[in-house]
Amino acid sequence: FDHAMQSHSTETAIRLRLQQLQTGEVELRATTQWLTSDPSRARTIVAVWNQELQGANSEDARLVLLYLCNQMMATTRDQTAAFVVEFMGVLEEAMQCVALARPGIPEVAHVLQGLVQGWVKLSLFPPHFAAALTALVGRMSGGPREGYVPEAVMPGSAYTTS
């Protein structure tokens, strides 16, 4: 019983943290540090992350969660493969969720392509999985939506919110 209660409270704390997440390099780093401090919880953390991404009510919220995923994998890759392995199980579906929520928006496809290119450069994934992600984002393009710039921009990205 105690383990079940502790697990439930951990999931609740993770869910709350993800729901309150805002764009910003400092916040993404702090949240990454908090979430990745115990790699043995990677499966639970990624499962809750995926539920929050699937249920997010805006494309910007979904993009922020993808940026968090990116930060978590890049930060932990040298210490543990736990997060990369867990994210591999949900990443294709998560990227489709982001792209399909607002189809035909090239800026979103561009952001997804940038993330995948970064993961390929870091050699985060086996070649077959990297190729599958690259092909997936290659299919996610369409006509421009005039004046659209995602509010949630990854620190250091080409987009600004000025």
Side-chain angles (χ1 to χ4, degrees):
F1 176 75
D2 289 337
H3 178 60
M5 286 295 289
Q6 183 180 5
S7 176
H8 178 70
S9 66
T10 298
E11 287 181 26
T12 301
I14 294 166
R15 192 172 311 285
L16 272 171
R17 185 80 178 240
L18 294 177
Q19 289 170 351
Q20 296 169 354
L21 185 63
Q22 300 292 315
T23 289
E25 191 170 347
V26 171
E27 185 165 355
L28 284 173
R29 282 187 185 163
T31 301
T32 294
Q33 185 175 6
W34 183 75
L35 289 172
T36 60
S37 63
D38 182 3
S40 69
R41 298 183 311 158
R43 178 168 288 153
T44 300
I45 291 165
V46 172
V48 173
W49 173 90
N50 191 43
Q51 291 167 1
E52 289 302 310
L53 184 129
Q54 300 293 332
N57 59 7
S58 75
E59 63 195 45
D60 289 324
R62 285 184 282 277
L63 287 173
V64 169
L65 288 169
L66 273 179
Y67 298 146
L68 177 66
C69 162
N70 178 65
Q71 184 82 28
M72 290 171 65
M73 290 190 301
T75 300
T76 62
R77 71 188 168 120
D78 292 334
Q79 294 88 26
T80 178
F83 289 97
V84 172
V85 168
E86 294 301 327
F87 276 118
M88 280 179 64
V90 299
L91 209 45
E92 288 182 82
E93 179 185 7
M95 293 183 82
Q96 287 176 335
C97 175
V98 170
L100 294 176
R102 299 301 289 269
I105 301 175
E107 292 84 357
V108 171
H110 179 75
V111 169
L112 296 176
Q113 287 173 334
L115 287 170
V116 170
Q117 288 169 356
W119 299 333
V120 168
K121 283 182 184 177
L122 291 174
S123 299
L124 281 178
F125 304 118
H128 72 280
F129 188 75
L133 287 180
T134 300
L136 177 67
V137 297
R139 295 188 300 268
M140 296 177 185
S141 62
R145 189 173 109 197
E146 192 172 323
Y148 175 77
V149 174
E151 283 183 34
V153 295
M154 183 168 58
S157 75
Y159 296 104
T160 61
T161 57
S162 54

